[in-house]
Amino acid sequence: MGKIKRIGVLTSGGDSPGMNAAIRAVVRATIYNGLEAYGIYGGYQGLIEGDIKELKKSDVSNIIQRGGTILKSARSAEFRTLEGRAKAAQMLAEYKIDALVVIGGDGSFTGARLLIQEHDIPVVGVPGTIDNDLFGTDWTIGYDTAVNTAIDAVDKIKDTASAHSRLFFVEVMGRDAGFIALRTAIATGAEAVLVPEVETNFKDLEAFLEKDYNPKESSAIVIVAEGNDKSGGAYSIAEKVAKEHPEYDIRVSVLGHMQRGGSPSQADRVLASQLGAAAVEALLDDQKSIMLGIANKSIVHVPFNKTIKHTKDLNPEFLELVKVLST
Ligand code: ATP
């Protein structure tokens, strides 16, 4: 592999607030190093189709504060095939793009690793997902903002829950991981949290509700991760509890996609700026097949192999903390 002159950047998988700040950082750091930056629109599908354009300094002006991604994101079934990735590699060659920064999650990095193995193209990853479920990094871009959005919504729900002495099941995002749910539960003082990583114990939940929730005089909030376990999301949990306790005044609120949007928090903007610039530095240091991350406040290089293979665990102390503080 010769010297890198052009760096491509794309966003892939679920979008997250702060992706724009990461794009800006990649483009600006590339230009700072005397190289050219190319934006690839629509994730891997856009790469296959050649939806590619040079990005100058001004193309990424005034985007650091915007949610979503100016490069758009997409899921590409074609990129999952050998032929699709061969087309992608050919497109990179056509545009003389020597290396790639992929901003996305686990699936995006799995695809990136195949592109590296099959076509020897250097790719580094920047963790952009609201779920915070990537092994090797303490924080992913978008997580802090998504949690802040969920907290804001739950605070509002608490006002009305309290006015009517209701029991609310609030569903937050997290199909396979409970990071958003757990942090939101602690930060809102929720009475309980249900996450995919821990099997729902209805006996415990009911015992706790019988003790702490009184439909005549108190309210309660249970945070449920969207993907909970086989017991289902907030509606299905609420239905089971309502069957046992017809006297409860139960409501369900599903926060949904609002958690993906909005202006990124300062934490996400700074993280995205750091990791985007570090991604360019890593490529210039001949790195490939790694994800940039942050661990104990320092930037770390995590091999794609590791972050793809391992699952990040929820902090058991945080799970315990919800129980302790709700008694
Ligand atoms: P998020 O966790 O936020 O949803 P993600 O990056 O995990 O982000 P995915 O939809 O899993 O999102 O992956 C994004 C894209 O990466 C897919 O649409 C596909 O093009 C590519 N990809 C995912 N898994 C593979 C795979 N096993 N082989 C090749 N490409 C893949």
Side-chain angles (χ1 to χ4, degrees):
M1 185 75 224
K3 208 169 160 292
I4 292 174
K5 295 197 183 76
R6 279 188 188 171
I7 294 178
V9 56
L10 61 81
T11 47
S12 170
D15 64 309
S16 69
M19 277 184 161
N20 279 327
I23 295 165
R24 172 182 178 272
V26 171
V27 170
R28 294 276 168 97
T30 299
I31 294 169
Y32 176 82
N33 282 288
L35 313 175
E36 291 169 350
Y38 275 69
I40 298 158
Y41 291 77
Y44 289 130
Q45 194 55 36
L47 175 55
I48 290 169
E49 290 166 11
D51 197 352
I52 299 171
K53 169 177 148 297
E54 185 175 3
L55 293 178
K56 300 284 196 190
K57 186 174 175 237
S58 62
D59 292 316
V60 292
S61 292
N62 208 19
I63 65 167
I64 195 167
Q65 76 280 24
R66 282 169 55 193
T69 156
I70 58 158
L71 291 178
K72 308 267 188 188
S73 191
R75 312 220 189 239
S76 169
E78 203 178 348
F79 193 77
R80 290 175 182 270
T81 66
L82 265 175
E83 299 74 27
R85 292 190 295 275
K87 276 193 210 165
Q90 197 185 332
M91 209 46 91
L92 288 171
E94 253 174 57
Y95 277 86
K96 295 188 169 49
I97 294 172
D98 310 302
L100 204 56
V101 177
V102 171
I103 305 165
D106 200 39
S108 303
F109 300 157
T110 306
R113 194 173 56 144
L114 291 171
L115 190 69
I116 299 160
Q117 286 167 352
E118 291 158 7
H119 301 282
D120 196 26
I121 294 161
V123 187
V124 300
V126 172
T129 166
I130 61 168
D131 292 329
N132 202 32
D133 58 348
L134 285 169
F135 180 88
T137 186
D138 293 342
W139 298 91
T140 60
I141 298 163
Y143 171 61
D144 183 68
T145 307
V147 171
N148 287 337
T149 301
I151 290 170
D152 187 45
V154 174
D155 285 349
K156 288 175 175 142
I157 289 168
K158 281 180 77 162
D159 290 345
T160 172
S162 158
H164 290 274
S165 301
R166 281 177 175 150
L167 164 60
F168 262 86
F169 291 89
V170 183
E171 186 176 297
V172 298
M173 277 196 165
R175 225 171 298 150
D176 307 303
F179 292 96
I180 295 178
L182 186 51
R183 210 167 179 87
T184 302
I186 291 175
T188 57
E191 274 65 31
V193 61
L194 304 178
V195 292
E197 291 87 342
V198 182
E199 197 174 332
T200 302
N201 184 329
F202 277 97
K203 277 203 183 117
D204 276 4
L205 181 64
E206 283 186 14
F208 152 77
L209 289 173
E210 276 163 25
K211 179 167 67 71
D212 278 338
Y213 170 60
N214 179 342
K216 290 203 172 68
E217 57 191 40
S218 65
S219 61
I221 302 282
V222 178
I223 307 289
V224 185
E226 165 190 31
N228 193 18
D229 62 357
K230 58 186 184 308
S231 316
Y235 274 107
S236 126
I237 302 274
E239 210 174 293
K240 281 186 190 132
V241 173
K243 250 188 211 154
E244 294 295 316
H245 293 279
E247 76 281 14
Y248 285 0
D249 192 359
I250 297 177
R251 293 291 185 279
V252 174
S253 182
V254 177
L255 302 188
H257 283 82
M258 62 142 73
Q259 293 159 94
R260 284 196 181 281
S263 182
S265 66
Q266 65 79 20
D268 277 328
R269 295 180 197 199
V270 174
L271 180 67
S273 300
Q274 280 184 291
L275 298 188
V280 172
E281 269 173 41
L283 285 172
L284 294 178
D285 273 349
D286 292 330
Q287 295 284 343
K288 62 178 175 182
S289 209
I290 57 156
M291 174 192 83
L292 277 302
I294 197 118
N296 298 323
K297 297 185 182 157
S298 295
I299 291 177
V300 289
H301 290 184
V302 189
F304 276 154
N305 280 352
K306 264 198 176 171
T307 196
I308 291 164
K309 199 164 90 191
H310 299 289
T311 309
K312 185 158 133 193
D313 293 328
L314 279 183
N315 182 348
E317 287 170 18
F318 272 21
L319 282 166
E320 188 60 23
L321 191 58
V322 177
K323 275 191 202 156
V324 171
L325 300 184
S326 64
T327 49

